[in-house]
């Protein structure tokens, strides 16, 4: 019984698996926190920063996304996200820019 409050806190924070926070939502949240202030990712959308490309229109490959995030590009600082978070952002951008 003593673990119940801890489990509830972990769930509320989105830290525990199976708490209703999908991986896709986590990926999107990371994108929103690290990328969306500069980059749009919608068909026909304009990016908040004029020099930043709309990622939907750019339709970058996995390698292009990883390279830009890791090395920086056109005023974008390097290493905005690292490790697993990099994988999460790459997954989200690939999903959000996929063509059906």
């Amino acid at each position: 019984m003593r673990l119940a409050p801890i489990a509830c806190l972990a769930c509320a924070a989105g830290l525990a698996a199976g708490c209703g926070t999908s991986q896709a939502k986590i990926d999107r949240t990371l994108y929103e926190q690290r990328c969306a202030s500069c980059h749009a990712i919608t068909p026909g959308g304009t990016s908040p920063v004029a020099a930043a490309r709309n990622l939907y229109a750019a339709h970058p490959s996995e390698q292009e996304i990883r390279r830009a995030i890791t090395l920086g590009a056109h005023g974008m600082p390097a290493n905005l996200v690292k490790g697993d978070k990099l994988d999460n952002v790459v997954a989200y951008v690939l999903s959000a820019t996929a063509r059906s």
Side-chain angles (χ1 to χ4, degrees):
M1 283 299 196
R2 291 180 184 223
L3 294 179
I6 294 170
C8 288
L9 286 174
C11 190
L15 301 174
C19 287
T21 301
S22 71
Q23 187 60 51
K25 187 172 182 178
I26 293 168
D27 296 351
R28 180 183 176 129
T29 299
L30 282 167
Y31 171 83
E32 289 170 349
Q33 292 171 344
R34 299 298 187 145
C35 311
S37 61
C38 295
H39 292 281
I41 197 164
T42 58
T46 344
S47 292
V49 172
R53 297 175 7 176
N54 175 335
L55 296 178
Y56 186 86
H59 191 60
S61 69
E62 178 180 352
Q63 294 78 17
E64 290 170 320
I65 299 164
R66 286 183 185 282
R67 186 179 317 115
I69 293 171
T70 303
L71 302 176
H74 310 289
M76 182 174 131
N79 297 310
L80 282 172
V81 291
K82 299 177 185 177
D84 291 344
K85 290 181 180 181
L86 173 61
D87 295 335
N88 295 113
V89 171
V90 169
Y92 177 74
V93 172
L94 288 173
S95 172
T97 61
R99 304 299 195 262
S100 36

